[in-house]
Amino acid sequence: MEMNFPMEAFLQTKQELLANRNDLEKEKAIWATVRKRLNETQANVLDEQFKAEFEKLGISFGNVPSTSIQEILQSLKELVQQGAAATLLGNHELGTYNLAMLIQQISGVSDKASLEIIVEIIRLTIVAGAGLNAQKAYAGNGGATSLEWVCLYLARGVGDIGYLRSLDQYVCCYQIFFWLPERTASFNSFLANLRVSEEAADLQEKIMLAMMGDGCSPFTADDLYRSASFFSRIAAINIKWLTLLFPFEDDAIKHYLSVLQPNVTPEIAKNLINGFTSNNKARKHFKAFFSMKPHWLLKFIIGSAPEIIFGLVKRNEQDLLIPFLKNFKPAMMELRDAKGNTLLQHAALCRGVVENTIQLLSK
C-alpha cells in the first residue's frame, strides 16, 4: 500500500478547487454588473419569473423528461442573463421548492442527460445569488442545506439504499461540491458519514484532498465526533485515509497543518491511536507509515499525552511502539508514569506484558 502522501493528486485537486472558484466568481461578477443596471420594478419582475420557472422542477420531479428540463434551463439562463436573482426561492424545508430540494432529489434522477441539465441549473441558481446557507430541504429531523446534502451524498458513496444509485449521480454531486462555499464545518460531517463505496472511492479521496487543500480541519478540539469510532470507521473503510489526514510536515500542506495541529488534543490523539488497533493490517500500516521519519503527531503524544504510550506498553502494542522508539528513543527513555517508573519498569510491573514487549523496550 502506498505510504507517501499523494502530493501530486493533492496539488491537482487544490488547483481544480481554485479554478472552479475563480470561474464561478467571474460569472457572478458578470451577473452582478447586469443586475445593477435594473431598477426595482424590473428586478422584482425578473425575480418572480425566475422563482416560477425554477419551481416547475418540483412538479412530478424525476418524471419530467429531459426535453422539458432543457426548456426550463433555457428559460432560467435567459432570465439570469437579464439579471434575475434566485433570492425569492423559499428557505424552509417544508415550504416552496428551492435549490436544496433540487440537490436532495438528485438521487431520484437516473437519466444522465437530465443530470447534466440539472447541474447547469444548479450552477445558474448559485450564480444568481441563491441563499445557500438559508435554503433547506427536509432531512428527517429538520432541514439540511445544499452543502449538507452534497456532503452526505458524497460521503455515503454509491449503492446505499436511499442515497445515490449510480456513479453519474455521484459525479453530479462532485461537480456541485466545488461551487458551494463555507466548507470548513463540512469536513467533519463528511468523515462522520463516510461509508465504503468501491465505485466512488477515488472521488471520495479527492473530496478529502480538496477539503484539506481548502484549509479545513477534519475535526475541532471540542466537537462531538471525538470518540474512537470516528477514526476506527475510517480505518475500516481505507486505512490509508487515516494517515492521509495526518501527513508529515511539508510546505505544500502547511496551511492544512496550521488548522489541524491546534485541534489535536490528547483525547483525539488517544482515539486516533486506538483506531489503528482495530486489526493487524491497521497496526502494520501505522508501523510502516510512522516509521519512515519523525512525525509531528508522535512528538506531540510524547510531550502532551505520554499516558497513551504507557497504555500501548500495557496492551503489548509492539507495532505501534516501534515508530516511537525508532524516531524518538531519547525522549521515550525520559518518560515516567504516575509512579515515576520508566517504560521498561512499567512493563515489568504490568500484569500481562509479554517478553517481546520488554525486549523491544530494552534495545
Side-chain angles (χ1 to χ4, degrees):
M1 179 180 292
E2 179 65 39
M3 291 288 121
N4 293 323
F5 183 79
M7 188 61 72
E8 183 177 352
F10 172 75
L11 294 175
Q12 289 176 347
T13 305
K14 188 175 180 179
Q15 184 60 39
E16 182 181 354
L17 182 66
L18 181 61
N20 271 278
R21 181 177 295 165
N22 289 340
D23 289 345
L24 190 64
E25 289 306 313
K26 289 177 183 176
E27 289 184 43
K28 286 182 177 180
I30 294 171
W31 170 81
T33 300
V34 177
R35 178 77 177 178
K36 288 178 182 178
R37 298 174 186 155
L38 303 176
N39 60 42
E40 185 176 352
T41 300
Q42 291 172 322
N44 288 339
V45 170
L46 288 170
D47 295 352
E48 289 287 357
Q49 291 176 343
F50 185 98
K51 181 176 184 292
E53 198 67 28
F54 186 92
E55 287 178 351
K56 290 180 182 179
L57 292 166
I59 302 173
S60 303
F61 189 91
N63 297 318
V64 181
S66 59
T67 52
S68 298
I69 302 177
Q70 180 68 55
E71 291 172 0
I72 295 173
L73 168 62
Q74 186 59 37
S75 296
L76 293 175
K77 186 179 295 185
E78 291 172 0
L79 288 167
V80 171
Q81 288 171 347
Q82 297 173 61
T87 52
L88 294 183
L89 298 181
N91 292 333
H92 198 275
E93 64 269 17
L94 298 178
T96 55
Y97 200 72
N98 61 31
L99 181 59
M101 294 176 185
L102 176 58
I103 290 174
Q104 177 198 36
Q105 293 181 314
I106 286 173
S107 61
V109 182
S110 57
D111 178 54
K112 184 176 181 179
S114 295
L115 286 169
E116 291 174 349
I117 295 170
I118 287 169
V119 168
E120 288 191 64
I121 291 174
I122 290 170
R123 186 179 179 90
L124 269 176
T125 309
I126 293 173
V127 168
L132 296 174
N133 295 322
Q135 294 180 24
K136 295 182 178 181
Y138 186 65
N141 59 345
T145 66
S146 297
L147 179 59
E148 289 168 337
W149 274 107
V150 167
C151 283
L152 175 63
Y153 282 157
L154 292 173
R156 297 298 294 246
V158 176
D160 285 343
I161 296 174
Y163 296 94
L164 304 182
R165 301 181 184 87
S166 73
L167 191 59
D168 288 335
Q169 292 174 336
Y170 194 93
V171 170
C172 177
C173 290
Y174 178 81
Q175 288 178 273
I176 297 165
F177 168 79
F178 285 92
W179 304 333
L180 299 175
E182 304 297 331
R183 281 183 286 270
T184 301
S186 60
F187 200 2
N188 187 294
S189 175
F190 175 82
L191 294 173
N193 288 288
L194 195 59
R195 297 294 184 274
V196 175
S197 180
E198 293 183 7
E199 195 172 357
D202 289 345
L203 289 177
Q204 284 179 319
E205 183 170 309
K206 288 190 72 174
I207 291 295
M208 294 169 65
L209 292 173
M211 291 189 180
M212 293 168 69
D214 214 21
C216 301
S217 174
F219 49 79
T220 60
D222 57 354
D223 62 37
L224 300 177
Y225 300 102
R226 293 185 297 176
S227 66
S229 63
F230 181 74
F231 297 111
S232 60
R233 283 192 307 98
I234 298 173
I237 297 169
N238 188 334
I239 187 59
K240 183 183 73 171
W241 290 350
L242 202 53
T243 44
L244 179 76
L245 298 174
F246 296 86
F248 287 92
E249 290 177 304
D250 188 285
D251 285 343
I253 52 175
K254 191 174 182 178
H255 181 44
Y256 169 67
L257 290 175
S258 71
V259 296
L260 170 69
Q261 291 173 331
N263 287 318
V264 178
T265 64
E267 183 178 357
I268 285 177
K270 177 183 178 181
N271 291 332
L272 170 66
I273 291 293
N274 286 338
F276 285 100
T277 63
S278 55
N279 56 60
N280 286 333
K281 179 181 178 181
R283 292 183 175 92
K284 298 298 182 185
H285 184 83
F286 181 94
K287 175 184 174 182
F289 178 79
F290 287 103
S291 291
M292 290 192 293
K293 57 184 177 180
H295 193 287
W296 59 267
L297 179 62
L298 303 194
K299 184 177 180 180
F300 168 82
I301 291 172
I302 293 171
S304 302
E307 65 277 6
I308 294 175
I309 300 172
F310 284 97
L312 294 176
V313 171
K314 185 177 181 179
R315 292 152 53 191
N316 294 296
E317 292 288 355
Q318 295 163 33
D319 284 334
L320 275 67
L321 286 168
I322 287 174
F324 286 97
L325 293 166
K326 177 180 178 181
N327 296 307
F328 300 99
K329 186 67 176 286
M332 290 283 282
M333 295 301 99
E334 293 292 324
L335 293 180
R336 299 291 185 274
D337 64 14
K339 296 181 179 180
N341 296 313
T342 65
L343 286 170
L344 184 57
Q345 291 169 335
H346 181 81
L349 293 171
C350 280
R351 182 179 300 176
V353 174
V354 298
E355 183 62 28
N356 286 347
T357 300
I358 293 175
Q359 290 181 2
L360 178 64
L361 297 171
S362 301
K363 292 180 180 179

